[in-house]
Amino acid sequence: MIVRISPSNLKGTLCVPSSKSVAHRAFIAAACSDAPTLIKGNLTGDDVNATLVALVSLGAKARKTSDGLLITPIGDNLVKTVKINAGASGSTLRFILPLVASLGVSATIDGTKRLAERPIGELLDVLRKHGITADGDKLPLTVGGKLTGNQFTINASVSSQYVSGLLLALPNINGGTVETVGNIVSKDYLDITLSVMRDFGIDVYERDGIFTADGAYKSPREYIVESDWSSAGFFIVAGAKGDITLNGLNINSTQGDKAILNALKAFDADITADKVVRIKSNKLNAFTFDVNDCPDTAPALAVLAAFSNGTSVLKNTERLKAKESDRAKETVKMLTAFDIKCVDKGNEIEITGGALHGCEIDLPDDHRIAMAAAIAASYAQGDTILHGAECVNKSYPSFFEDLKRVGGKVNVLTV
């Protein structure tokens, strides 16, 4: 899809989609529960759909209702041999691998070329040590066998999804422990995992890097997936140059990406965060922000830095290189196209604010780069053409429609 974005002043009110981080976990817990669960929320995006399709292939049922999505657990309908396409979703891949292992399923798993490049080797090593066979170390691969033992040790310095995947599988093998080594990255995502598991009846806690889970999944009957702070971040940044109000965000959420508000405070935007979140333009201060625990905020924060008066620094950006794209490289490339001085220094990105100029960008297959570019384009001088803009479907299919709702000038040239 090719999209042209013309300059505008973004102002208005939105309700962003439900959190895909919460949805992945809730779908898995519901599929492994003792009774059906009605999942409520604005559940959209290719990633969460990949997890849902995988669970259905394993024997769960999913039916849309007027209130949400009714998930009937796998139970006695378990399919012992399946083919699963994880698409471009790292969460789907890293959660489904331990899940099929805990269920004793033989699964052939594939995905996009970029997903095949994302690390899973250490997770596979742990599974192999506990009775699982795997015919390779990257996609496509086939895993088989039944998970043995209930005490697992995993390096958490590569991805917290390794830990989350193992934790989500533990109730299927009567509980156990996951001991982490290395510095846990994106720890806030583990808080989401623990929260969802508790909501589905699991006694789960962490002490000194050791996570313990006891009990079997019990359906809460209804479960509401809260709005997504990751998606909201782009419109929060838009509000820092305009005036945006966002409904439905949980200010007490365990989602780590709500930390973007801290960067906005340093930027000295006008922020109201209570029953609604409203961001208005104020001063444009440069800032320094550590994205280690909230790496998905980096592209949006990079655009915020481009709006600032001065030089901003995003710290601990090394992990961005193993996302849907080399997100550090692509963020620098995107802002450079807008004539913003931006330098990748290895583990930090330095951005000097200034006037943005419209440009033409071939987007990587990375939803967060596309959304960041669209916000930047809205405040650039002259039109911007984005090629490959359909990648927003990964998490936020209605993004460009919502951009229009707050005054964005968006023209879809080709679908």
Side-chain angles (χ1 to χ4, degrees):
M1 182 168 73
I2 302 175
V3 174
R4 180 173 65 220
I5 297 179
S6 301
S8 61
N9 185 42
L10 302 180
K11 181 178 181 179
T13 301
L14 291 173
C15 185
V16 298
S18 296
S19 166
K20 74 184 185 81
S21 296
V22 175
H24 283 298
R25 293 157 171 82
F27 285 171
I28 289 170
C32 296
S33 286
D34 61 337
T37 306
L38 180 63
I39 308 287
K40 295 183 175 181
N42 182 10
L43 307 166
T44 64
D46 291 345
D47 277 14
V48 293
N49 188 60
T51 292
L52 185 62
V53 171
L55 294 169
V56 169
S57 73
L58 288 166
K61 294 180 181 178
R63 178 171 61 87
K64 287 185 179 179
T65 73
S66 58
D67 296 327
L69 186 68
L70 182 66
I71 295 183
T72 301
I74 295 167
D76 295 333
N77 297 316
L78 179 64
V79 179
K80 300 291 288 186
T81 302
V82 297
K83 290 184 178 181
I84 292 172
N85 190 326
S89 174
S91 296
T92 303
L93 174 60
R94 292 163 178 163
F95 296 170
I96 288 296
L97 276 169
L99 180 66
V100 296
S102 71
L103 296 172
V105 169
S106 174
T108 299
I109 305 175
D110 205 352
T112 63
K113 180 180 178 181
R114 176 60 183 175
L115 186 62
E117 296 171 351
R118 297 181 69 180
I120 56 171
E122 293 187 359
L123 178 58
L124 287 172
D125 287 344
V126 171
L127 296 178
R128 287 184 176 113
K129 290 175 183 177
H130 289 269
I132 301 304
T133 61
D135 65 356
D137 291 313
K138 65 178 184 177
L139 301 184
L141 62 82
T142 298
V143 295
K146 172 78 172 178
L147 210 57
T148 60
N150 62 0
Q151 296 181 340
F152 303 87
T153 301
I154 187 78
N155 183 351
S157 66
V158 177
S159 174
S160 66
Q161 290 175 351
Y162 293 170
V163 185
S164 287
L166 290 168
L167 282 172
L168 289 166
L170 285 180
N172 295 328
I173 56 172
N174 301 315
T177 63
V178 179
E179 181 176 358
T180 61
V181 296
N183 294 324
I184 300 175
V185 294
S186 301
K187 191 174 187 300
D188 291 326
Y189 287 95
L190 285 173
D191 293 335
I192 297 174
T193 303
L194 301 186
S195 177
V196 172
M197 292 179 73
R198 288 173 184 140
D199 290 340
F200 279 81
I202 304 302
D203 181 14
V204 59
Y205 58 91
E206 181 263 342
R207 184 177 293 114
D208 298 328
I210 300 175
F211 295 80
T212 302
D214 292 314
Y217 286 119
K218 291 183 173 65
S219 171
R221 306 299 175 171
E222 290 189 359
Y223 190 81
I224 298 173
V225 180
E226 65 187 35
S227 294
D228 184 30
W229 279 95
S230 301
S231 297
F234 298 97
F235 287 107
I236 287 172
V237 166
K241 281 281 283 185
D243 185 352
I244 300 291
T245 298
L246 297 171
N247 293 324
L249 289 167
N250 177 8
I251 200 65
N252 297 313
S253 173
T254 55
Q255 295 179 55
D257 286 356
K258 73 177 181 181
I260 195 169
L261 292 180
N262 295 330
L264 269 290
K265 290 174 184 176
F267 185 79
D268 210 10
D270 184 344
I271 304 171
T272 302
D274 189 9
K275 293 183 179 179
V276 299
V277 174
R278 185 178 183 184
I279 309 293
K280 294 192 294 182
S281 181
N282 189 23
K283 298 177 183 178
L284 307 174
N285 294 334
F287 60 93
T288 296
F289 193 78
D290 190 332
V291 299
N292 186 61
D293 287 329
C294 50
D296 287 347
T297 65
L301 288 174
V303 173
L304 183 70
F307 295 157
S308 74
N309 296 320
T311 298
S312 300
V313 179
L314 301 182
K315 300 177 69 176
N316 281 315
T317 56
E318 176 68 28
R319 291 186 56 245
L320 300 181
K321 300 180 187 304
K323 291 290 185 177
E324 284 86 337
S325 67
D326 180 340
R327 201 170 275 171
K329 174 184 174 182
E330 295 295 342
T331 295
V332 170
K333 181 179 176 182
M334 179 263 294
L335 287 182
T336 300
F338 283 107
D339 289 337
I340 294 295
K341 184 180 178 182
C342 187
V343 181
D344 181 2
K345 294 191 171 182
N347 200 30
E348 63 181 37
I349 298 174
E350 189 176 272
I351 303 154
T352 302
L356 291 88
H357 298 98
C359 54
E360 191 161 355
I361 300 175
D362 289 319
L363 294 166
D365 189 15
D366 190 330
H367 54 143
R368 303 207 187 278
I369 298 296
M371 289 186 275
I375 299 302
S378 295
Y379 288 105
Q381 298 172 13
D383 290 353
T384 297
I385 306 294
L386 302 179
H387 296 263
E390 69 278 0
C391 60
V392 299
N393 292 336
K394 190 174 196 293
S395 63
Y396 199 161
S398 62
F399 173 79
F400 288 109
E401 288 78 6
D402 281 356
L403 185 57
K404 289 180 182 178
R405 287 187 180 98
V406 293
K409 296 181 179 179
V410 180
N411 185 9
V412 178
L413 303 180
T414 65
V415 177

